[in-house]
Amino acid sequence: MRFAVLALLPCALLSAQTPPLRFTPHTLATNLKGGYQVVAIDLNHDGKPDLIALASGMPDLAWYENPGSADKPWVRHVLASGLPRLINCAAEDLDGDGIPELVVAWEFANDASKSIGKVGVLTHDGDPTKPWKLKEIDQVPTSHRLRWADVDGSGKKVAVNAVLTGPKASPPAYVQDNAPLLIYRPGEWKRETVSVANNGVMHGVYIVKWNPKDKRDSILTASFSGLHLFQLSAKGWTRTEISKGDPVACPKCGSSDVAVGHLGTKRFLAAIEAWHGNQVVLYSQKGKVWQREKIDDSLVDGHTIVTADFDGDGRDEVVAGNRQGAKSLYLYRAGIGDRPAWTRQTLDEGGMAAAACTAVDLNGDGKVDVACISGTMLKWYENGVGR
């Protein structure tokens, strides 16, 4: 496997004392159709994170059982069948039995007039390797991104549905309507509206405890309107603008995906901009202002961004991938200082048109790995092999 380093700023070259991080790729599946999302979660209560490989072009929602190492087969199981145009799922153990419940969205299309947008809940029936029970709870056209969040700090999480567009939006502009941000409380499973303020396409969502002392989760969204933070208080929901994102004309405007990282105690935001865009952008806060810094503009159809501390130095790296063009996977590392220069390292050159990635320790060695899904492939990039 080759490792390439690109200096993004004149002073950003990795020194001889800072060699590239090493990842060894393992291909777990090659027969997917429309691979779109990968979720790491322990599905069989054996203490090892498994991988859900959601593929929009397949009617089965499948997961791959983690054997604990790269030299053993990852066995495929089917959670549910008969789910056309799958788009997203999220897992959370609601009943405390060690096996999560899942919310899942299917019957998706970008055009709201052609999207049923079904949302359902999957529960196991004793044996998680067998098909799970499905209960449909809602239909919202273009239901798109599902997550779990403890929005009130009670310890009881709700399912978040970040809908792609409003029902009146249509291609190619999508600006005719605003996109709903919804939640569902387990047990009731009734739709509650958080906001309909984000215009056009709302493509990304990220759950975060925004302040160090927070018990509650906040919701970050990436949309044509830019980056916004949603928080629940005793007075209701508030929406705070962080950035308008890329100021170009819509539909290639705003922000597409977002993640939160830290350099020591200093927080930053990492984003793909604009929608399905070419830029990796970082935001750092100075007072009340979030400063925007573009560290890469070479992506084509950028579609995933992840932050994690891969080298264990207390400073997060950024992983981003693009589905077109080079179809490669990149890792970005920060230098030292208040405004550090960032370097780019290629993790997979031309072998991963990443629709989604996740950062997780898959083999229990204490190092954070990367798992990514593309149209046909599911891959695990094992951290630290060969050091």
Side-chain angles (χ1 to χ4, degrees):
M1 182 180 182
R2 291 187 292 170
F3 299 92
V5 177
L6 170 68
L8 301 172
L9 297 173
C11 58
L13 289 172
L14 287 178
S15 70
Q17 290 75 36
T18 311
L21 300 181
R22 296 182 62 84
F23 291 81
T24 295
H26 307 287
T27 300
L28 306 182
T30 58
N31 58 350
L32 304 179
K33 296 180 180 179
Y36 192 81
Q37 183 196 22
V38 57
V39 176
I41 189 77
D42 183 1
L43 284 164
N44 56 359
H45 197 29
D46 67 352
K48 298 187 291 291
D50 307 298
L51 294 176
I52 301 173
L54 183 147
S56 298
M58 305 176 77
D60 295 339
L61 180 61
W63 65 282
Y64 290 81
E65 185 175 353
N66 186 349
S69 67
D71 56 359
K72 297 179 181 179
W74 288 62
V75 178
R76 180 181 184 270
H77 306 285
V78 175
L79 289 159
S81 300
L83 303 178
R85 296 187 291 174
L86 282 158
I87 193 66
N88 233 233
C89 69
E92 182 70 26
D93 183 9
L94 300 175
D95 56 14
D97 68 350
I99 299 175
E101 287 68 46
L102 276 70
V103 284
V104 59
W106 72 103
E107 292 280 11
F108 171 83
N110 282 339
D111 186 340
S113 67
K114 300 175 182 178
S115 176
I116 299 173
K118 292 184 177 181
V119 182
V121 180
L122 284 168
T123 55
H124 72 91
D125 193 18
D127 183 353
T129 66
K130 304 299 183 184
W132 293 31
K133 293 179 180 179
L134 175 65
K135 176 183 178 181
E136 186 177 324
I137 62 170
D138 205 0
Q139 292 187 16
V140 183
T142 73
S143 291
H144 185 243
R145 292 280 187 263
L146 299 178
R147 301 291 186 269
W148 289 96
D150 180 4
V151 295
D152 59 6
S154 66
K156 298 179 180 179
K157 293 191 176 183
V158 301
V160 178
N161 182 3
V163 182
L164 186 75
T165 74
K168 297 178 182 178
S170 61
Y174 296 99
V175 295
Q176 304 91 342
D177 204 353
N178 288 2
L181 182 62
L182 311 172
I183 62 171
Y184 307 89
R185 299 182 188 276
E188 301 173 8
W189 300 119
K190 293 181 180 178
R191 183 196 312 171
E192 298 179 32
T193 300
V194 173
S195 173
V196 287
N198 288 343
N199 181 245
V201 170
M202 179 165 56
H203 188 265
V205 64
Y206 189 91
I207 308 303
V208 60
K209 284 184 169 52
W210 189 247
N211 298 309
K213 296 183 180 180
D214 271 354
K215 293 183 178 179
R216 64 179 177 175
D217 289 327
S218 300
I219 304 172
L220 270 172
T221 61
S223 70
F224 280 9
S225 297
L227 296 174
H228 290 84
L229 181 73
F230 292 86
Q231 296 176 305
L232 181 62
S233 70
K235 296 181 179 180
W237 286 95
T238 60
R239 175 179 181 262
T240 303
E241 180 181 287
I242 292 174
S243 170
K244 296 186 184 300
D246 194 321
V248 301
C250 292
K252 291 297 182 182
C253 61
S255 195
S256 188
D257 291 280
V258 63
V260 178
H262 292 84
L263 298 176
T265 60
K266 186 177 180 181
R267 177 172 55 198
F268 68 89
L269 307 185
I272 298 287
E273 291 182 350
W275 178 39
H276 290 176
N278 65 314
Q279 303 168 45
V280 177
V281 176
L282 301 181
Y283 290 91
S284 57
Q285 192 171 15
K286 290 286 187 179
K288 295 182 179 180
V289 177
W290 285 87
Q291 297 179 329
R292 184 178 189 268
E293 178 186 8
K294 180 173 63 178
I295 64 169
D296 196 356
D297 61 4
S298 67
L299 304 187
V300 180
D301 192 12
H303 204 268
T304 185
I305 194 157
V306 174
T307 55
D309 182 5
F310 294 104
D311 56 7
D313 67 351
R315 296 158 55 83
D316 288 339
E317 288 75 43
V318 176
V319 170
N322 46 184
R323 297 186 298 182
Q324 301 298 326
K327 297 181 179 180
S328 296
L329 188 66
Y330 304 119
L331 182 144
Y332 305 84
R333 298 173 75 185
I336 305 300
D338 290 337
R339 288 184 61 83
W342 288 75
T343 58
R344 190 181 87 179
Q345 172 185 337
T346 301
L347 297 187
D348 195 322
E349 188 172 1
M352 173 48 64
C357 295
T358 188
V360 59
D361 180 4
L362 286 173
N363 57 1
D365 66 353
K367 300 184 182 74
V368 182
D369 306 310
V370 183
C372 295
I373 195 168
S374 69
T376 60
M377 290 185 296
L378 176 66
K379 282 188 174 183
W380 163 27
Y381 298 87
E382 190 175 7
N383 184 358
V385 175
R387 282 188 178 180

